[in-house]
mmCIF file of all heavy atoms in Angstrom:
data_model
loop_
_atom_site.group_PDB
_atom_site.id
_atom_site.type_symbol
_atom_site.label_atom_id
_atom_site.label_comp_id
_atom_site.label_asym_id
_atom_site.label_seq_id
_atom_site.Cartn_x
_atom_site.Cartn_y
_atom_site.Cartn_z
ATOM 1 N N GLY R 10 2.891 -0.244 4.116
ATOM 2 C CA GLY R 10 3.417 0.696 3.126
ATOM 3 C C GLY R 10 4.239 1.785 3.811
ATOM 4 O O GLY R 10 3.723 2.509 4.659
ATOM 5 N N ILE R 11 5.510 1.859 3.434
ATOM 6 C CA ILE R 11 6.432 2.797 4.072
ATOM 7 C C ILE R 11 6.917 3.803 3.035
ATOM 8 O O ILE R 11 7.558 3.428 2.046
ATOM 9 C CB ILE R 11 7.639 2.044 4.685
ATOM 10 C CG1 ILE R 11 7.139 1.003 5.712
ATOM 11 C CG2 ILE R 11 8.627 3.018 5.321
ATOM 12 C CD1 ILE R 11 8.221 0.052 6.195
ATOM 13 N N ALA R 12 6.584 5.064 3.249
ATOM 14 C CA ALA R 12 7.039 6.125 2.349
ATOM 15 C C ALA R 12 8.514 6.422 2.632
ATOM 16 O O ALA R 12 8.905 6.539 3.799
ATOM 17 C CB ALA R 12 6.203 7.385 2.562
ATOM 18 N N LEU R 56 7.912 2.790 -0.648
ATOM 19 C CA LEU R 56 7.316 3.628 -1.686
ATOM 20 C C LEU R 56 8.091 4.924 -1.848
ATOM 21 O O LEU R 56 8.210 5.696 -0.894
ATOM 22 C CB LEU R 56 5.875 3.983 -1.290
ATOM 23 C CG LEU R 56 4.935 2.818 -0.977
ATOM 24 C CD1 LEU R 56 3.898 3.224 0.055
ATOM 25 C CD2 LEU R 56 4.268 2.346 -2.244
ATOM 26 N N PRO R 64 0.772 10.991 -4.145
ATOM 27 C CA PRO R 64 0.296 10.782 -2.769
ATOM 28 C C PRO R 64 1.422 10.516 -1.770
ATOM 29 O O PRO R 64 1.338 10.949 -0.615
ATOM 30 C CB PRO R 64 -0.646 9.570 -2.880
ATOM 31 C CG PRO R 64 -0.449 8.991 -4.233
ATOM 32 C CD PRO R 64 0.165 10.035 -5.099
ATOM 33 N N VAL R 65 2.474 9.848 -2.207
ATOM 34 C CA VAL R 65 3.584 9.570 -1.288
ATOM 35 C C VAL R 65 4.378 10.852 -1.022
ATOM 36 O O VAL R 65 4.790 11.123 0.106
ATOM 37 C CB VAL R 65 4.475 8.433 -1.835
ATOM 38 C CG1 VAL R 65 5.779 8.329 -1.069
ATOM 39 C CG2 VAL R 65 3.705 7.108 -1.762
ATOM 40 N N TYR R 68 2.395 12.773 1.432
ATOM 41 C CA TYR R 68 2.533 12.209 2.772
ATOM 42 C C TYR R 68 3.836 12.700 3.416
ATOM 43 O O TYR R 68 3.851 13.146 4.566
ATOM 44 C CB TYR R 68 2.516 10.663 2.729
ATOM 45 C CG TYR R 68 2.919 10.078 4.052
ATOM 46 C CD1 TYR R 68 1.986 9.904 5.068
ATOM 47 C CD2 TYR R 68 4.259 9.780 4.324
ATOM 48 C CE1 TYR R 68 2.375 9.421 6.313
ATOM 49 C CE2 TYR R 68 4.658 9.301 5.558
ATOM 50 C CZ TYR R 68 3.706 9.125 6.548
ATOM 51 O OH TYR R 68 4.092 8.674 7.772
ATOM 52 N N GLY R 77 7.911 7.543 6.471
ATOM 53 C CA GLY R 77 7.208 6.927 7.600
ATOM 54 C C GLY R 77 6.171 5.939 7.106
ATOM 55 O O GLY R 77 6.048 5.724 5.899
ATOM 56 N N ILE R 78 5.441 5.370 8.039
ATOM 57 C CA ILE R 78 4.402 4.406 7.656
ATOM 58 C C ILE R 78 3.240 5.166 7.037
ATOM 59 O O ILE R 78 2.620 6.000 7.684
ATOM 60 C CB ILE R 78 3.935 3.575 8.870
ATOM 61 C CG1 ILE R 78 5.091 2.705 9.374
ATOM 62 C CG2 ILE R 78 2.737 2.696 8.485
ATOM 63 C CD1 ILE R 78 4.795 1.946 10.648
ATOM 64 N N GLN R 79 2.972 4.882 5.767
ATOM 65 C CA GLN R 79 1.944 5.624 5.023
ATOM 66 C C GLN R 79 0.610 4.891 4.992
ATOM 67 O O GLN R 79 -0.431 5.503 5.006
ATOM 68 C CB GLN R 79 2.443 5.888 3.594
ATOM 69 C CG GLN R 79 1.611 6.914 2.839
ATOM 70 C CD GLN R 79 0.956 6.352 1.599
ATOM 71 O OE1 GLN R 79 1.078 5.184 1.278
ATOM 72 N NE2 GLN R 79 0.231 7.218 0.905
ATOM 73 N N HIS R 80 0.659 3.560 4.906
ATOM 74 C CA HIS R 80 -0.591 2.802 4.930
ATOM 75 C C HIS R 80 -0.359 1.382 5.400
ATOM 76 O O HIS R 80 0.771 0.903 5.433
ATOM 77 C CB HIS R 80 -1.290 2.810 3.565
ATOM 78 C CG HIS R 80 -0.576 2.062 2.478
ATOM 79 N ND1 HIS R 80 0.369 2.639 1.659
ATOM 80 C CD2 HIS R 80 -0.660 0.774 2.079
ATOM 81 C CE1 HIS R 80 0.813 1.738 0.796
ATOM 82 N NE2 HIS R 80 0.213 0.595 1.028
ATOM 83 N N ILE R 81 -1.461 0.748 5.778
ATOM 84 C CA ILE R 81 -1.444 -0.666 6.137
ATOM 85 C C ILE R 81 -2.404 -1.367 5.207
ATOM 86 O O ILE R 81 -3.525 -0.893 4.979
ATOM 87 C CB ILE R 81 -1.846 -0.857 7.614
ATOM 88 C CG1 ILE R 81 -0.787 -0.184 8.485
ATOM 89 C CG2 ILE R 81 -1.993 -2.341 7.952
ATOM 90 C CD1 ILE R 81 -0.893 -0.435 9.937
ATOM 91 N N LEU R 128 -4.624 5.246 6.860
ATOM 92 C CA LEU R 128 -4.919 4.891 5.476
ATOM 93 C C LEU R 128 -4.836 3.375 5.364
ATOM 94 O O LEU R 128 -3.771 2.777 5.578
ATOM 95 C CB LEU R 128 -3.932 5.571 4.519
ATOM 96 C CG LEU R 128 -4.141 5.302 3.024
ATOM 97 C CD1 LEU R 128 -5.542 5.734 2.567
ATOM 98 C CD2 LEU R 128 -3.068 6.018 2.203
#
Side-chain angles (χ1 to χ4, degrees):
I11 302 170
L56 305 149
V65 168
Y68 169 85
I78 295 174
Q79 193 242 1
H80 68 271
I81 296 189
L128 181 58

